[in-house]
Amino acid sequence: MDLGGLPVRDTEPTVSPLVEAWATYRTTSAQDWPTRRLMSAKGENRVSVVLPARNEEATVGAIVATIREHLMDRVPLVDELIVVDSRSTDRTAQVARAAGAEVVGQDEMTRGLPRLTGKGDALWAGLAAAEGDVVAFIDADLREFRPHFVTGLIGPLLVDPSVEFVKGFYHRPLVGATSVETDGGGRVTELMARPLLNLFWPELAGFVQPLAGEYAGRREVLERVPFVTGYGVETAMLIDLLELVGLDALAQVDLGERKHRHQDTAALGRMSAQIMHTAWTRLQRRGWAAPGTSPGTILTQFRRGGSEALPNLDREIVVNDVSVQERPPLAELRPRLPRRRVAA
Ligand SMILES: O=c1ccn([C@@H]2O[C@H](COP(=O)(O)OP(=O)(O)O)[C@@H](O)[C@H]2O)c(=O)[nH]1
Ligand SMILES: O=C(O)[C@@H](COP(=O)(O)O)O[C@H]1O[C@H](CO)[C@@H](O)[C@H](O)[C@H]1O
């Protein structure tokens, strides 16, 4: 049926067969990867777990202690547990070290390189410090962390050589001060990142949690992609790995439920802008955005009250730079990096 030249779909939209096949074939559950199965498959593979942590003294200790007790002391599945101190101003480093992690500084691992900021730079520093063949990244603000968050992520990588990268997914309650909204979490995912990826990278539509902060990959693959600084890192990693190794080498694992500290919506607005910038650079690479162009880098937001309010505007204007930079693929810089100096 055609109304004025606009084709009108006369069938109900259906899931792309490619996405349906991938989601069926490359989705597993943490329960599919029991520790004993992983130990028998591990062989000579060394496993590193990296936690990027900026001011996470309240939660990093419990996560580190759980990994150390269950996956290092009781069962030697994890060989290396690193917390990247991302310029914290609290006792993150001391708490992490006391709980049994090796602590490296974001600035320490990027010494001699341009000073960049954000989560992506912390993750890049963690990969530079890590020595494992398989590297898992876990956010340090998780509540109710369980060992299966790690075993579920590394399981496919230890057992199936055709898998290069595994993304976690979970139910995401939005935990407020006095109430919990069952599936209210993942606000940037649902409002921006999922639509963005579905529209421009539909092959990735099967990822339940494309922005999940828990994921793992083979070092030799992770070292071949750039790390976008700030909060664009997860979006860039999915897009870049899709292009580098193909959808079939990517997988996802059900980790159950994830609770973490939530940022406010203004912070998530800045996160969204960083993700849009990240997508723009990938669209340029694909030829869908004009080379040499760039969206604006300043995000203007409004905050109730405040001393900087304008005469006729009963709100404070808050301006942030939401541009992103990139650390180049680690493999290109490895010879220039300081050997990991870890204060055990
Ligand atoms: O500059 C930064 C920003 C964030 N993080 C860490 O990255 C993880 C995810 O960050 P955040 O919780 O702010 O993101 P959200 O989960 O709210 O999207 C947490 O462990 C942060 O401590 C970091 O190491 N450096
Ligand atoms: O998924 C999301 O929408 C955001 C915000 O989550 P909430 O709405 O605070 O549960 O959280 C994720 O996004 C960040 C950017 O990729 C990641 O770095 C975080 O690890 C992840 O929690």
Side-chain angles (χ1 to χ4, degrees):
M1 179 168 56
D2 186 345
L3 294 179
L6 291 177
V8 175
R9 182 192 300 278
D10 52 9
T11 58
E12 282 304 309
T14 56
V15 179
S16 133
L18 168 77
V19 169
E20 189 169 12
W22 176 84
T24 303
Y25 174 59
R26 285 302 196 195
T27 300
T28 57
S29 167
Q31 286 71 23
D32 298 324
W33 310 105
T35 309
R36 64 183 175 281
R37 182 181 181 194
L38 303 191
M39 285 306 295
S40 63
K42 186 181 182 205
E44 295 303 308
N45 281 303
R46 293 167 304 161
V47 175
S48 300
V49 177
V50 173
L51 281 69
R54 182 184 63 180
N55 295 333
E56 302 296 2
E57 65 180 5
T59 49
V60 70
I63 299 169
V64 167
T66 299
I67 295 172
R68 176 155 285 280
E69 176 189 351
H70 293 272
L71 302 177
M72 300 179 84
D73 296 344
R74 285 190 197 176
V75 179
L77 181 63
V78 171
D79 301 289
E80 183 179 53
L81 176 52
I82 294 173
V83 169
V84 180
D85 181 7
S86 183
R87 303 172 184 145
S88 299
T89 55
D90 67 1
R91 301 186 68 256
T92 292
Q94 296 90 324
V95 170
R97 195 172 291 121
E102 298 167 2
V103 179
V104 297
Q106 179 175 340
D107 291 316
E108 172 193 352
M109 290 313 301
T110 58
R111 191 183 319 125
L113 301 175
R115 187 180 192 278
L116 301 180
T117 61
K119 180 185 181 184
D121 192 46
L123 290 172
W124 191 89
L127 183 63
E131 298 181 348
D133 307 291
V134 167
V135 182
F137 298 103
I138 303 279
D139 280 0
D141 67 331
L142 300 185
R143 274 81 168 143
E144 302 172 20
F145 171 83
R146 294 285 182 276
H148 74 261
F149 268 53
V150 174
T151 54
L153 291 173
I154 65 177
L157 293 162
L158 293 181
V159 173
D160 183 344
S162 68
V163 174
E164 305 283 6
F165 179 81
V166 182
K167 192 85 178 174
F169 70 91
Y170 20 59
H171 295 297
R172 301 183 65 174
L174 184 63
V175 181
T178 58
S179 66
V180 176
E181 186 182 337
T182 305
D183 290 320
R187 290 161 292 170
V188 174
T189 298
E190 300 307 335
L191 292 171
M192 200 278 292
R194 192 184 310 285
L196 177 82
L197 291 172
N198 273 254
L199 267 56
F200 296 105
W201 290 274
E203 311 94 306
L204 297 175
F207 278 92
V208 178
Q209 290 293 347
L211 300 190
E214 289 67 47
Y215 40 97
R218 296 188 197 287
R219 160 186 298 287
E220 73 255 9
V221 170
L222 293 171
E223 289 196 349
R224 291 166 55 198
V225 293
F227 276 48
V228 167
T229 59
Y231 290 110
V233 58
E234 280 87 14
T235 303
M237 196 174 289
L238 269 190
I239 294 168
D240 294 351
L241 287 175
L242 172 67
E243 293 180 10
L244 180 69
V245 298
L247 182 63
D248 189 54
L250 311 180
Q252 63 181 355
V253 65
D254 187 349
L255 301 177
E257 181 174 89
R258 183 222 206 198
K259 292 180 181 176
H260 70 121
R261 183 209 53 244
H262 300 290
Q263 300 186 69
D264 62 32
T265 46
L268 298 190
R270 296 188 288 274
M271 175 188 291
S272 297
Q274 288 187 334
I275 292 171
M276 289 179 202
H277 264 285
T278 302
W280 182 268
T281 57
R282 270 66 190 166
L283 289 171
Q284 279 180 315
R285 196 168 62 193
R286 181 184 267 190
W288 287 18
T293 60
S294 170
T297 59
I298 299 300
L299 176 62
T300 301
Q301 295 173 302
F302 300 89
R303 184 158 55 200
R304 182 188 293 265
S307 58
E308 303 297 316
L310 295 179
N312 302 324
L313 184 64
D314 178 21
R315 284 166 183 71
E316 180 180 5
I317 290 189
V318 180
V319 179
N320 280 279
D321 180 342
V322 290
S323 62
V324 292
Q325 286 79 38
E326 285 190 1
R327 286 288 184 207
L330 196 57
E332 295 176 10
L333 289 180
R334 175 62 75 183
R336 291 178 50 191
L337 290 179
R339 289 304 301 156
R340 177 158 62 91
R341 301 271 65 84
V342 173

